[in-house]
Amino acid sequence: MGEAVRRRGCCSKQQFLPEESFASLGNYARALRETPARLRDRVLSRSRDATELHEIKARSEHEMKRTLNWWDLIWFGIGAVIGAGIFVLTGLEAKEDAGPAVVLSYVVSGISALLSVFCYTEFAVEIPSAGGSFAYLRVELGDFVGFIAAGNILLEYIIGGAAVARSWTSYCATLFNHKPADFLIKAHGLAEGYNQLDPIAVCVCAAICVLAVLSTKGTSIFNSIASVIHIVVILFIIIAGLTKANPENYSDFAPNGARGIFQASAVLFFAYIGFDAVSTMAEETKNPARDIPIGLVGSMVITTTCYCLMAVTLCLMQPYKEIDENAPFSVAFQAVGWDWAKYIVAAGALKGMTTVLLVSAVGQARYLTHIARTHMMPPWFAHVNERTGTPVNATVTMLSATAVIAFFTKLEILSNLLSISTLFIFMVVAVALLVRRYYVSGTTTAADRNKLVACLVLIIGSSIATSAYWGLSEGWIGYAITVPIWLIATVALRVFVPHARNPKLWGVPLVPWLPSASIAINIFLLGSIDKESFERFGIWTGFLLVYYLLFGLHASYDTAKEAGESKAQQVKRIEEGI
């Protein structure tokens, strides 16, 4: 009977807290007393590629089905990224910060995203696991860093999904000739900002959940069809919009100079969020070495090209001061006498947001699944359905959280919580790639390890100093100090620290230059984000730390200890010829 319950994925204490530390209050008290030693062990311990690919994956009982190819991944990448950002933020940043130079802001954000794509691609090819950045960081930087990073990614997915679901309702209202807030229900007894209830967003999340749990391949087919329609709408916007172009609108190209361009870039990075979800599908890819590089890099190049062309089109259709902040493309077509085009734009936006929600649902569930495989989260979330080959428990849980937040929370509050976690994760992944290339335990000498640490400290420190100087000063003298330090540290890493490992299948080109540049650009963009976002980031990270010290640390410690003992017993049996 117990086995039948376990197969169905139902709830029991054994599926949530099966570890020895939680078997009794006495065990838990002893575990808490051992927290410093256990924390030291988990901080210093690093996973291995084989562990992530075989031992950890086996804890889901059933394997995910390998049904995806590079074509699927390209469309997943496009579907994950092109959504609410381009249709909403372009007008806001063109009007408030960058002017027509918003196209350069998209280029800067796109370069940052592409550098991160390179780093993710090498990891995804070498470690094709559903854990994405969590698995990569566990291997290179240890359990603790991996958990803190993955926790922030999960928050970003939930908040981002809720924001897109609320935007879906607003665009749906526009499509039916209503004001954006007409489909919301006013609840007078709730606090301001949480009193405009959105039942449509909940229904959208429920529909996405059904699609995501039924089949990954079926999800891919739906996403591909929707993304093709979306690309057609984007091409219509570009071609039709350029027929109404007025070159005079570009006369004041960068009204706020470089500062306005970079400030817009930090905000517009939201438009690129989502591609990391594709890396979590590596476990379901038929040929990771071929399919992942084509899928990830190809989708990012297509996305950046579309964004730049749409930004150019918008600012040629209307003077940037007249661009509407909420529905820039719809209003731009109205301004040139094409009222009917707003329906095509709204339909395209809805298609885009639907695919963003779908790919986000697939990605976030796989992150949670792999975290649960390590027992840092309850192993109940790691269950993979035998029939569908999808992580049903994780998918339903994550989308339920997204739906609850989307139901209550105003879009403006949600939008202020975005971007910072993702930029932080991308920076840490770039650091992890440098560690992977230049450090192998047992191979790298202590002297080379110390040189690597020194170079990384200088690269990160000079990038932070550059970002801080940008935010606090209008001058240029500081850059004459911080940028050369970054340059010298990168050169030193290239010249004085020998490579400890070369990629087996596909590798980032121009190492250490591209990962080092990714670190610098991501930190630079972090410096353009407001203080309140950093405060929320700190609060959430603090919550993650408390959870880890009380539960995740002890569960993962017991699991690692049990796995180590099991492996030692296997070795002993082999030696004894049993």
Side-chain angles (χ1 to χ4, degrees), residues 368-432:
L368 180 56
T369 297
H370 201 78
I371 297 171
R373 287 169 172 173
T374 68
H375 287 221
M376 289 188 202
M377 291 288 286
W380 181 79
F381 294 113
H383 176 75
V384 173
N385 185 273
E386 183 177 8
R387 183 176 63 83
T388 65
T390 58
V392 175
N393 296 347
T395 304
V396 172
T397 300
M398 293 297 291
L399 279 167
S400 296
T402 299
V404 169
I405 293 174
F407 183 62
F408 290 101
T409 314
K410 196 174 180 181
L411 181 60
E412 286 75 8
I413 295 175
L414 294 172
S415 63
N416 288 334
L417 292 172
L418 297 171
S419 287
I420 185 169
S421 293
T422 306
L423 286 167
F424 170 73
I425 301 304
F426 291 170
M427 182 272 293
V428 176
V429 169
V431 172

Side-chain angles (χ1 to χ4, degrees), residues 49 56 65 101 157 161 219 230 289 327 337 351 364 368 396 450 537:
D49 293 9
I56 300 294
K65 297 178 180 179
Y157 272 124
T219 299
H230 195 198
K351 289 287 184 184
Q364 65 191 9
L368 180 56
V396 172
N450 294 338
F537 174 76

Side-chain angles (χ1 to χ4, degrees), residues 10-304:
C10 296
C11 304
S12 69
K13 179 182 181 296
Q14 195 63 19
Q15 289 181 311
F16 279 86
L17 295 171
E19 299 81 16
E20 181 184 351
S21 292
F22 306 104
S24 66
L25 287 176
N27 284 12
Y28 185 54
R30 184 170 62 254
L32 290 179
R33 288 195 298 270
E34 295 175 0
T35 294
R38 292 185 174 200
L39 180 61
R40 190 183 314 110
D41 175 82
R42 292 292 84 200
V43 168
L44 297 178
S45 298
R46 298 159 71 211
S47 183
R48 297 180 297 112
D49 293 9
T51 302
E52 298 298 314
L53 294 176
H54 304 295
E55 297 173 26
I56 300 294
K57 186 167 70 173
R59 295 173 188 169
S60 284
E61 301 173 36
H62 309 291
E63 289 195 7
M64 299 182 191
K65 297 178 180 179
R66 290 186 176 274
T67 57
L68 305 178
N69 56 34
W70 64 267
W71 181 255
D72 297 312
L73 295 183
I74 282 181
W75 288 111
F76 263 125
I78 292 172
V81 176
I82 303 181
I86 183 65
F87 287 101
V88 177
L89 295 178
T90 306
L92 176 65
E93 293 309 310
K95 187 173 184 178
E96 298 293 331
D97 291 317
V102 69
V103 63
L104 298 182
S105 301
Y106 271 117
V107 170
V108 172
S109 297
I111 290 173
S112 175
L114 187 59
L115 292 175
S116 297
V117 163
F118 279 127
C119 297
Y120 267 84
T121 300
E122 179 171 329
F123 273 119
V125 169
E126 298 277 309
I127 312 173
S129 159
S133 58
F134 171 69
Y136 315 151
L137 296 177
R138 257 173 56 86
V139 169
E140 300 305 332
L141 301 179
D143 271 10
F144 177 71
V145 175
F147 176 77
I148 296 299
N152 275 288
I153 280 288
L154 290 179
L155 173 69
E156 194 78 11
Y157 272 124
I158 292 173
I159 298 300
V164 173
R166 298 279 295 201
S167 296
W168 201 100
T169 302
S170 298
Y171 269 95
C172 183
T174 302
L175 190 63
F176 290 99
N177 276 327
H178 284 267
K179 294 179 180 178
D182 282 358
F183 290 172
L184 303 179
I185 300 173
K186 188 78 171 180
H188 298 284
L190 298 178
E192 183 64 31
Y194 303 91
N195 58 350
Q196 292 183 312
L197 308 184
D198 191 344
I200 292 179
V202 175
C203 293
V204 170
C205 289
I208 292 296
C209 183
V210 172
L211 280 172
V213 301
L214 286 179
S215 165
T216 303
K217 186 63 178 179
T219 299
S220 173
I221 294 171
F222 176 85
N223 172 74
S224 298
I225 295 171
S227 295
V228 168
I229 296 173
H230 195 198
I231 291 294
V232 170
V233 172
I234 288 174
L235 290 175
F236 165 80
I237 292 172
I238 294 169
I239 295 170
L242 289 177
T243 64
K244 296 293 183 178
N246 181 3
E248 293 182 4
N249 293 336
Y250 259 48
S251 57
D252 187 9
F253 183 68
N256 297 314
R259 186 166 294 274
I261 292 172
F262 284 111
Q263 285 176 341
S265 293
V267 177
L268 292 175
F269 194 84
F270 169 59
Y272 289 96
I273 289 174
F275 73 81
D276 53 309
V278 180
S279 70
T280 67
M281 300 172 199
E283 193 172 308
E284 297 157 273
T285 302
K286 296 177 182 177
N287 186 354
R290 181 199 64 187
D291 297 337
I292 293 172
I294 297 174
L296 273 172
V297 178
S299 61
M300 185 53 59
V301 170
I302 292 171
T303 298
T304 303

Side-chain angles (χ1 to χ4, degrees), residues 12 236 388 391 438 459 499 503 517 527 549 568 574:
S12 69
F236 165 80
T388 65
Y438 289 97
I459 289 171
H499 268 221
L549 293 177
I574 292 173

